[in-house]
Amino acid sequence: MKTTQRWASQIAHLSRSVGPVLVGAALLGTLAGCGSMTPRESRNTAVGAGVGALGGALISGGDLGTTVGGAVVGGVIGNVVTDDRNRR
């Protein structure tokens, strides 16, 4: 039984230390994909992601997965609904 508890403790420690690194890598990848966006698209995507994250956090009571999911959906919606007049 002690071996199982030790493994569980090590996995919990690993997830706490690796989690922020994975989130940072995902953020860098996301920002790199936004390089060709116009300022208007960037702003609307960021606002949509913020509103989506807030909504996801409020609905779920702060669950990380739902908050991130809300941010992704909000960012996509913010980008898609942007009518960029410069690309017509």
Side-chain angles (χ1 to χ4, degrees), residues 11-79:
I11 290 172
H13 177 69
L14 181 67
S15 67
R16 282 193 302 265
S17 61
V18 173
V21 173
L22 293 177
V23 170
L27 179 62
L28 286 176
T30 302
L31 292 175
C34 297
S36 65
M37 293 171 53
T38 64
R40 187 173 182 197
E41 286 175 321
S42 298
R43 182 190 67 232
N44 288 350
T45 301
V47 168
V51 170
L54 180 63
L58 290 174
I59 288 171
S60 68
D63 178 54
L64 180 63
T66 307
T67 302
V68 171
V72 169
V73 171
V76 169
I77 291 172
N79 185 291

